[in-house]
Amino acid sequence: MARISDPLVVGRVIGDVVDPFPPSVRMSVTYNSNKQVCNGHEHLPSSVTTKPRVEVHGGDMRSFFTLIMTDPDVPGPSDPYLKEHIHWMVTDIPGTTDSSFGREVVSYEMPRPNIGIHRFVFLLFRQKRRQTVIIPPPSRDRFNTRKFAEENELGLPVAAVFFNCQRETAARRR
C-alpha cells in the first residue's frame, strides 16, 4: 500500500499514471554514467539527451521485464490533454541484466518540455513470460500506461522512479 509520504504519491505518479503497487524489485536509472534518477529531482534537458542505463536488481534468470518511460504532462502540466507521451519502451529485459539486453519497441526520445515542469516516469513491469509480440503504440501521444499494462497482461508495476524537467534557458545551460 502506498504511503502518503511516498514520493510517487506526492509527485502524483500514483494516481495520474498507475495505481498503488507494492515495489518488489529495485531499479536504478542512470544518465551519462553518473547522474542517477531520484524521485522528484530535476534533470536538465541537456543532461538527458541519450538513453539512460536502466538496471534491474532483484530479478532472476527466469524473469523478464518491460520498461516504459512516459511523460504524463503533455503539452503542459496545467492542461495535459495529450497525456501520456511515451518516450521509450523496452521489453524482454532479462531479470539479471540491464535494458541494453532487452528489445527496444519504442526508441528513446529525449525530454523536450515546452511549458512548465514535466514529470518523466520510468515504470518496470514483470512479464508473465518472454513476449513474442508487443505491438508498439500507434502514436507516442495519448499513451495510457494502465491500458497498455492490462492489454499485455503486465499487471501492476514492480518498480518506478521519476524526475522533473523543464525547458532550459540559455542561462541555465552554462
Side-chain angles (χ1 to χ4, degrees):
M1 185 68 174
R3 295 184 324 271
I4 294 180
S5 61
D6 182 334
L8 296 173
V9 173
V10 174
R12 296 183 341 272
V13 169
I14 292 179
D16 288 355
V17 182
V18 292
D19 295 325
F21 67 95
S24 58
V25 299
R26 206 169 56 78
M27 169 179 62
S28 62
V29 180
T30 310
Y31 280 96
N32 305 319
S33 74
N34 66 351
K35 292 188 185 275
Q36 181 135 4
V37 173
C38 296
N39 283 320
H41 289 206
E42 183 175 6
H43 288 271
L44 300 174
S46 60
S47 71
V48 293
T49 58
T50 58
K51 62 183 161 187
R53 179 178 176 91
V54 178
E55 294 178 277
V56 178
H57 310 277
D60 59 44
M61 297 291 278
R62 295 180 311 269
S63 55
F64 291 91
F65 296 90
T66 293
L67 172 73
I68 294 172
M69 178 187 177
T70 183
D71 175 358
D73 300 315
V74 176
S78 62
D79 185 19
Y81 64 87
L82 293 176
K83 71 173 169 184
E84 301 165 37
H85 183 87
I86 186 161
H87 280 264
W88 194 30
M89 183 185 296
V90 182
T91 64
D92 295 334
I93 301 168
T96 56
T97 61
D98 63 67
S99 58
S100 65
F101 290 94
R103 184 171 71 94
E104 193 172 62
V105 176
V106 176
S107 62
Y108 181 79
E109 179 182 85
M110 69 175 276
R112 288 190 196 101
N114 285 322
I115 304 163
I117 299 170
H118 290 236
R119 297 164 292 166
F120 291 88
V121 183
F122 293 90
L123 298 151
L124 190 69
F125 294 88
R126 185 183 307 269
Q127 298 172 195
K128 289 188 177 189
R129 62 194 166 285
R130 187 174 194 136
Q131 304 287 14
T132 51
V133 176
I134 281 193
I135 299 167
S139 166
R140 287 184 185 260
D141 287 329
R142 293 187 172 88
F143 180 76
N144 185 310
T145 298
R146 285 181 181 97
K147 183 177 175 193
F148 179 84
E150 183 181 316
E151 290 171 352
N152 289 281
E153 299 178 9
L154 296 172
L156 292 171
V158 294
V161 67
F162 79 102
F163 69 91
N164 294 321
C165 188
Q166 62 184 310
R167 188 175 183 167
E168 202 167 351
T169 62
R172 290 184 76 199
R173 281 191 210 113
R174 286 187 233 154

